[in-house]
Amino acid sequence: HAFIHIPPEATARYAEGPVDWTYTQADAAVAALAGAYRAAGFVAGHRVALAMDNRADFFLHVLALNGLGASVVPLNAEMAAAELGYILKHSDAAAAVCLADHVGKVEAARDAVGLALPVCAVGAAVATPARAPAAALTDDAPAREAALLYTSGTTGSPKGCILSNAYFLAAGGLYVSLGGYCAFRPGVERLITPLPVTHMNALACSFMAMMMVGGCVIQLDRFHPSSWWRSVRESRATCLHYLGVMPAMLLGAPESPEDDMSGQIRFGFGAGVDPRHHVRFEDRFGFPLVEAWAMTETGGAAWITANVEPRHRGQRCFGKAPAGLAWRIVDEAGADAPVGTPGELLVRRAEGDPRAGFFTAYYKDPEATATAWEGGWFHTGDVVKVDDAGSFYFVDRLKNVVRRSGENIAAVEVESILMQHPAVAACAVVPVPDEIRGEEVFACVVVRPDHAADAATARAIFDAAMEKLVYFKAPGYIAFVETLPQTASQKLARGAIKKLALDRLEARDMIDLCALKKRPKTPGAGH
């Protein structure tokens, strides 16, 4: 059976035509890679950072290292050097293996934080690990660490989520057992996804599900709106993964007689489709967009999906709780909210270990782990409501996070970078609506007396942020304000600041920098 297919539009920089692996071919390649890692001295508990973009190599290296009991640390090579350096150092990785294009950048990030870490190119000899195993060792294979995924935290620096083998098995197992619109046919399904392999969705959902049913992962390098439907047709995809930004962009294209994909695509699976687009998209393209809710921390242990009717299209509904999931919706005082009243969603397993299938912990941050599990429930930070029939609806987020094109951006992380600029006396970052990307980063800035509150200063602040942050985290809008609203305890009044940002956006009383937020060109890029 086909295992991995990379369409030609995603391979233009490094291959003549598509890249294909069968399960048999992949098995042999994984065995060879595992042998090379073993010969170099890698053993159970070692961590290896991988900067391989959305290529087949990434999945093969993940499986090879997992076979040794080692763990992977996926790296987004588009990150700024400071961001990469933080992850390399914090993760205690023993080596980094990268595409040749990324070696120089990863080496510079390593050097900037003073690490003695070998950085190897894919296909080259694997270097000896730079340190002893860092991951906790256990004879319990399901509990063994398989990956350390970094996710935006609300306190500034990204948090490293320890994910076990049991986590990945629970995620894949839950997905393939959903049924309804998401019924998988063993040996038949071909799932196309443009989502980054550095995220839980591509690594723990689509990849694990296809392995469990003998299906094929069709992995794009990223989302290309102009060629998306051609990729879907030519790859013979039967289902697809999406983010809310994708339906919005696809609906913006001129209508075509070929729009109806009901004869090929059985379902789309994702989250965050704009309520205004949900019904229009399904009516135009002929297949359901199945909305779901989960987090890196929850994996398949707390995963809610609108895979059966009623799906309440266009109402931000993400389905009903599956069997085995215990949940509460609580108000600010921690009391259970009445049916229909929004509150924070708390989750855990209903029986046995309440944390079974969840992330193991935040690496080197027991306090954050304990806070997340306060009272024996995992606090999601998401505000939801539930109706009389048990259907869940997304309302808002409690956390100071901007959700832009599927990327979680911690407001505090961006604020900490902006505060380093000599013109900034104080600042606050909040999300504002974006027609295409869901949300955009909006920064309210108080400038120092010796700097002008003008477009030139805004551009200077933006340029400085782009040097230290991956492009999508930089502020799309900067509004200069005299003061920032505060609470009685002298903390930022996030609600008031968000309203201020919305008012400024509506009045166009800000500097619009969105057009400058562009993905950096990769060396040797052909398109």
Side-chain angles (χ1 to χ4, degrees):
H1 288 166
F3 178 42
I4 299 173
H5 172 70
I6 315 290
E9 54 271 31
T11 68
R13 292 193 290 110
Y14 62 94
E16 296 289 336
V19 169
D20 289 286
W21 290 86
T22 66
Y23 277 85
T24 300
Q25 291 169 334
D27 187 50
V30 167
L33 285 171
Y37 277 114
R38 184 183 297 109
F42 287 86
V43 296
H46 271 128
R47 294 196 185 103
V48 179
L50 302 179
M52 299 182 186
D53 298 345
N54 282 15
R55 297 197 191 180
D57 299 277
F58 176 83
F59 298 111
L60 301 177
H61 281 258
V62 167
L63 293 172
L65 288 161
N66 187 268
L68 301 180
S71 174
V72 298
V73 184
L75 296 178
N76 178 357
E78 292 180 341
M79 285 183 167
E83 296 172 294
L84 286 172
Y86 173 82
I87 293 176
L88 290 173
K89 186 171 184 177
H90 184 271
S91 67
D92 294 321
V97 182
C98 316
L99 298 179
D101 288 346
H102 301 326
V103 168
K105 184 174 185 179
V106 175
E107 286 180 334
R110 170 203 64 188
D111 295 344
V113 292
L115 289 178
L117 180 78
V119 179
C120 315
V122 171
V126 180
T128 302
R131 56 176 302 133
L137 297 177
T138 175
D139 293 330
D140 181 7
R144 187 180 302 143
E145 179 184 316
L148 187 62
L149 256 61
Y150 280 80
T151 183
S152 286
T154 56
T155 56
S157 299
K159 291 185 174 65
C161 292
I162 299 172
L163 309 181
S164 66
N165 287 321
Y167 172 101
F168 283 92
L169 293 170
L174 184 282
Y175 195 6
V176 300
S177 70
L178 284 176
Y181 287 111
C182 300
F184 287 105
R185 300 164 297 177
V188 175
E189 304 303 344
R190 295 173 63 86
L191 191 159
I192 188 168
T193 176
L195 306 185
V197 296
T198 54
H199 288 194
M200 165 263 199
N201 188 298
L203 182 54
C205 300
S206 51
F207 181 54
M208 291 300 300
M210 288 301 95
M211 281 201 297
M212 287 182 163
V213 297
C216 178
V217 173
I218 304 165
Q219 183 70 60
L220 293 176
D221 56 335
R222 59 188 177 91
F223 176 54
H224 301 276
S226 61
S227 59
W228 169 254
W229 292 121
R230 185 177 76 243
S231 300
V232 170
R233 291 186 183 94
E234 293 180 356
S235 66
R236 297 179 289 112
T238 61
C239 49
L240 58 87
H241 277 203
Y242 69 89
L243 293 174
V245 62
M246 293 169 57
M249 299 183 77
L250 294 170
L251 282 169
E255 294 192 16
S256 163
E258 297 182 325
D259 280 349
D260 186 356
M261 297 295 293
S262 59
Q264 179 180 340
I265 297 297
R266 299 174 55 242
F267 67 91
F269 179 90
V273 61
D274 191 308
R276 298 169 297 174
H277 301 155
H278 201 165
V279 175
R280 284 178 54 211
F281 185 95
E282 293 190 2
D283 289 349
R284 176 174 167 179
F285 296 107
F287 61 88
L289 294 179
V290 177
E291 288 279 285
W293 175 92
M295 300 172 62
T296 301
E297 287 88 342
T298 68
W303 173 339
I304 305 174
T305 318
N307 58 303
V308 296
E309 297 293 348
R311 293 184 292 128
H312 304 291
R313 299 183 302 166
Q315 298 181 45
R316 295 193 184 277
C317 175
F318 55 89
K320 298 181 179 181
L325 175 64
W327 58 271
R328 295 174 62 201
I329 296 176
V330 301
D331 60 23
E332 293 182 357
D336 291 317
V339 172
T341 301
E344 183 182 8
L345 176 63
L346 311 185
V347 290
R348 69 183 185 192
R349 298 307 299 163
E351 298 179 356
D353 180 0
R355 303 189 187 189
F358 283 79
F359 78 122
T360 304
Y362 293 119
Y363 188 50
K364 296 180 181 176
D365 202 341
E367 291 183 1
T369 305
T371 298
W373 280 102
E374 184 179 358
W377 293 85
F378 181 76
H379 294 244
T380 69
D382 283 345
V383 178
V384 307
K385 63 182 180 181
V386 64
D387 64 20
D388 292 328
S391 291
F392 288 81
Y393 302 81
F394 182 81
V395 177
D396 202 354
R397 279 183 295 276
L398 288 176
K399 297 178 179 179
N400 301 323
V401 172
V402 182
R403 180 78 170 175
R404 183 187 188 274
S405 295
E407 298 284 355
N408 286 327
I409 303 165
V412 176
E413 181 183 9
V414 181
E415 289 164 357
S416 67
I417 295 300
L418 299 185
M419 286 297 297
Q420 295 175 24
H421 193 276
V424 178
C427 69
V429 167
V430 293
V432 291
D434 184 274
E435 181 72 20
I436 299 299
R437 295 170 180 83
E439 292 179 344
E440 185 54 270
V441 181
F442 193 110
C444 294
V445 174
V446 179
V447 295
R448 296 187 183 280
D450 54 343
H451 286 78
D454 57 16
T457 300
R459 179 60 188 268
I461 294 170
F462 174 87
D463 288 344
M466 285 286 283
E467 292 179 0
K468 298 180 179 179
L469 294 170
V470 63
Y471 76 98
F472 54 77
K473 294 181 183 178
Y477 304 102
I478 291 179
F480 292 110
V481 298
E482 292 186 3
T483 59
L484 293 171
Q486 294 183 331
T487 66
S489 58
Q490 304 301 306
K491 295 182 179 180
L492 291 176
R494 295 282 178 181
I497 294 170
K498 188 172 183 179
K499 183 180 184 306
L500 170 63
L502 291 172
D503 290 344
R504 287 292 193 94
L505 182 65
E506 183 178 359
R508 305 305 295 174
D509 184 13
M510 77 299 170
I511 291 89
D512 186 344
L513 302 156
C514 293
L516 300 177
K517 294 182 62 166
K518 295 180 180 179
R519 183 188 301 268
K521 292 183 178 180
T522 304
H527 67 291

